[in-house]
Amino acid sequence: MLSVRGLRKSYGAQEVLAGVDFSLRRGECFGLLGPNGAGKTTTLRLALGLISPDAGEISVLGEPVPARGREARMRIGVVPQMDNLDPDFTVVENLLVYGRYFGISDSVLRSRIPGLVEFAGLAGRAESPIATLSGGMKRRLTLARALVNDPDVVFMDEPTTGLDPQARHLIWERLRQLTGQGKTILLTTHFMEEAERLCKRLVIMDRGRIIAEGAPRDLVRHHIERHVLEVHGDGVEAWAERDGRRLASRIERAGDTIFCYTTDEAPLLASVEREPELRYLHRPANLEDVFLKLTGRELRD
C-alpha cells in the first residue's frame, strides 16, 4: 500500500531524513513515532508527493511518488495535525465542497454524506455551522472528511491531540472500524497508549533515522525489563544509591522521580515499602518506556 526505500531529504546543511525504509500492508494501522524534529512530518509530505526527496523511492498504491503524486492522492485521505474546516460552511457543506475537489459528482457525494455524518457521530448536527461544534466534534468531522473520496490509505497526523479522554476513545473506535473495513492507516502520534492500542506495527524515528521497528508488544519485550517502579518522595536519592541501583536492572531519573526497571520486582517492592517517606507506582513496562529509552528524556523543540 505504501513503500519507502532509502528516503533522504536535507534542507541546506541539515539532514532531515537519512535513509528511511518501511512499508505498509493492506488493512493495518502503521505507526510513525518520534520526538519533535525526528522527520515524521517530512516523511508524510514526501509520501504525499508535496515535496521531492533528495534520494530514495516512494510508491503509494502502485504509483511512483512524486512523479504521479496527484494520481496517488486521489486515493488517499488526510487528517492534518490541525483542523482546517471551513468556518463559513455547515457540517454537510464542508463534506460536499471537499468532495468536489476530487471530481466526485454531487449525486455520489450526497449518497455518501449521511453515512459519513453518522460515522462522525454528528447525525443531529448535519446542518450546524462549524463554530457551534466542540473540539471533539470538529476532529471527528475532519476524520469523516478524509473519507469522502473512499480512500484506500488514510494519513493521520496526531489525530487526537487536544481531545478529552471521551473524544479520544471515540476516535480510536472509529479508527478500528476503518481497519476492519480494510482501510490502511499511517498514524503519527505522541500518545504512546494510542500507538499501543491501534498499531499493528510501528517504527520509532530519531534524527532522521529509524531506530526501532516492530509490533508494540515485541518492542516492549525486546527493549525493556518487564516491571517498572516509579519512586519519589523525601530521601529517594539516598534510597536509589543504597538499594535502587543494587536491586534494579537499570534506573533512570526524571525530575524528582526514580524509574527502576527490573525483571524481578519483589526485592524492590520489599525495599521501598520499608521506607514510609517514599511513594511509588508499580506497573508493567510499556511502549513509552521503550520510546524514552531509545530517544532520551530531554525536551525537543
Side-chain angles (χ1 to χ4, degrees), residues 195-235:
E196 282 191 288
R197 285 173 176 263
L198 298 177
C199 295
K200 185 174 182 180
R201 296 184 301 126
L202 58 87
V203 296
I204 299 176
M205 299 179 64
D206 196 17
R207 307 185 192 282
R209 291 176 169 82
I210 291 177
I211 58 176
E213 180 174 3
R217 289 183 180 179
D218 292 341
L219 290 173
V220 173
R221 281 195 295 264
H222 180 72
H223 289 281
I224 298 292
E225 297 81 359
R226 290 177 56 199
H227 299 275
V228 184
L229 263 70
E230 301 181 18
V231 187
H232 61 100
D234 293 340

Side-chain angles (χ1 to χ4, degrees), residues 87-298:
D88 297 324
F89 296 150
T90 64
V91 167
V92 166
E93 289 169 343
N94 263 274
L95 296 173
L96 185 63
V97 171
Y98 191 76
R100 289 171 179 164
Y101 292 139
F102 293 90
I104 305 171
S105 68
D106 279 11
S107 61
V108 172
L109 285 172
R110 292 189 185 280
S111 69
R112 290 180 183 176
I113 283 174
L116 293 173
V117 172
E118 181 68 30
F119 178 83
L122 297 172
R125 306 297 297 270
E127 301 301 328
S128 297
I130 297 303
T132 67
L133 303 183
S134 68
M137 291 176 179
K138 291 177 183 177
R139 205 62 181 143
R140 298 199 303 274
L141 178 57
T142 301
L143 172 57
R145 187 189 64 178
L147 305 176
V148 75
N149 60 322
D150 192 23
D152 296 302
V153 180
V154 185
F155 288 19
M156 299 191 175
D157 195 2
E158 301 183 24
T160 62
T161 296
L163 298 184
D164 61 31
Q166 291 86 351
R168 185 177 299 129
H169 279 264
L170 184 56
I171 293 287
W172 291 348
E173 177 190 333
R174 296 298 190 260
L175 298 189
R176 283 191 287 266
Q177 287 181 23
L178 291 179
T179 54
Q181 296 166 8
K183 303 292 186 186
T184 303
I185 297 175
L186 178 60
L187 172 73
T188 76
T189 180
H190 285 300
F191 294 111
M192 297 300 110
E193 180 189 4
E194 182 166 276
E196 282 191 288
R197 285 173 176 263
L198 298 177
C199 295
K200 185 174 182 180
R201 296 184 301 126
L202 58 87
V203 296
I204 299 176
M205 299 179 64
D206 196 17
R207 307 185 192 282
R209 291 176 169 82
I210 291 177
I211 58 176
E213 180 174 3
R217 289 183 180 179
D218 292 341
L219 290 173
V220 173
R221 281 195 295 264
H222 180 72
H223 289 281
I224 298 292
E225 297 81 359
R226 290 177 56 199
H227 299 275
V228 184
L229 263 70
E230 301 181 18
V231 187
H232 61 100
D234 293 340
V236 68
E237 291 185 10
W239 172 84
E241 290 299 322
R242 184 182 68 252
D243 287 351
R245 294 187 184 279
R246 177 173 56 85
L247 299 174
S249 302
R250 179 171 56 89
I251 69 171
E252 294 180 2
R253 176 176 177 173
D256 62 353
T257 301
I258 301 294
F259 291 79
C260 301
Y261 298 91
T262 182
T263 54
D264 180 9
E265 77 282 16
L268 275 169
L269 287 170
S271 172
V272 76
E273 286 172 355
R274 290 195 296 266
E275 305 290 336
E277 299 300 317
L278 297 182
R279 297 179 296 280
Y280 71 92
L281 169 67
H282 172 219
R283 59 173 176 81
N286 57 36
L287 187 61
E288 185 164 313
D289 296 308
V290 176
F291 185 89
L292 290 171
K293 178 182 179 182
L294 297 180
T295 66
R297 294 182 178 270
E298 71 274 9

